[in-house]
């Protein structure tokens, strides 16, 4: 049976408050477990840190995403080695290079994917600003060249990067849907056309929340059609600290981001359950 696993990014557990108070790592991991997340997104660049975190997650029967930001093909090798040693659901690769042409992208992508294939570790390329995938149109060109490329779809970057007009028109929805059709995982953040992260608990942000829930619903449906029957789709809640999170003049955030992360977890799980129920109902009607 296909599954959805909802995780919390450890980066999103940073507070960056004016008072300097941060939750210790063991507290962060306990909070993530107690809140009912299935796992965490873990930086795999530092093997010591990755060993410490994954040991706790493994002990608690949780999963993890290996996060990576390679600046070259060669720089990816240690992360792949760490993933082989420690295991992971997949490596999330932010392509930390900025080629100007599609031809320049090809050696990077082919090299990274070959490293993953040789090691037997799935590699997902993340859509992200200030990376190879910074621009929606350019990323669609990459998909033309690599139609089977597995993406981690962080749609917030494309919305704020292209600054879609409101209401979002059919052309822009279609481009976002095409990204979703290559998505094998999602990063959860809600943007507006001016802000990369808005407060999902604020009523006046509902239009943007509904927009993203609609895109994620499309992406979940698309993935359920494409993926094997026993596959797992991952959704990483990634509501980041400032400067992603908006703050007031005192430097404190305008909303409770940890509570919003749990809200997001519950909303996407409810969406998944609704799609499961719809599929079960359709199957039942066909066999009746």
């Amino acid at each position: 049976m296909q599954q959805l696993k909802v995780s919390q990014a450890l980066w999103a557990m940073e507070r960056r408050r004016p008072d300097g108070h941060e939750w210790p790592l063991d507290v962060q991991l306990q909070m993530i477990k107690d809140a009912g997340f299935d796992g965490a997104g873990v930086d795999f660049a530092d093997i010591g840190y990755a060993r410490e975190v994954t040991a706790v997650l493994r002990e608690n029967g949780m999963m993890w995403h290996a996060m990576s930001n390679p600046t070259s093909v060669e720089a990816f090798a240690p992360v792949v080695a760490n993933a082989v040693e420690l295991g992971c659901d997949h490596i999330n690769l932010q392509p930390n290079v900025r080629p100007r042409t599609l031809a320049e992208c090809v050696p990077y992508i082919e090299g990274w994917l070959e490293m993953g294939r040789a090691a037997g570790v799935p590699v997902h390329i993340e859509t992200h600003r200030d990376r190879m995938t910074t621009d929606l149109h350019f990323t669609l060109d990459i998909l033309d060249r690599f139609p089977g490329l597995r993406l981690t779809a962080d749609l917030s970057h494309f919305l704020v990067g292209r600054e879609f007009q409101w209401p979002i028109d059919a052309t822009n929805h279609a481009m976002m849907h095409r990204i979703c059709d290559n998505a094998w995982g999602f990063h959860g953040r809600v943007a507006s056309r001016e802000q990369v992260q808005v407060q999902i608990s604020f009523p006046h942000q509902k239009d943007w929340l509904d927009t993203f829930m609609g895109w994620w619903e499309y992406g979940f449906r698309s993935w359920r059609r494409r993926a094997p029957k026993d596959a797992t789709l991952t959704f990483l809640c990634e509501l980041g600290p400032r400067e992603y999170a908006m703050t007031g003049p005192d430097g404190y955030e305008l909303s409770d981001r940890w509570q919003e992360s749990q809200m997001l977890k519950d909303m996407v799980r409810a969406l998944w359950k609704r799609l499961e129920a719809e599929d079960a109902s359709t199957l039942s009607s066909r066999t009746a």
Side-chain angles (χ1 to χ4, degrees), residues 37 69 89 94-95 136 144 148 175 186 200 224 246 271:
F37 286 95
N69 306 277
D89 180 85
Q94 268 192 28
L136 174 58
D144 286 340
M175 286 191 288
F186 291 86
I200 64 173
R224 288 170 68 86
M246 286 183 271
L271 169 59

Side-chain angles (χ1 to χ4, degrees), residues 47-58:
I47 185 60
Y49 172 82
R51 282 180 182 143
E52 179 182 3
V53 173
T54 58
V56 175
L57 295 172
R58 184 181 289 108

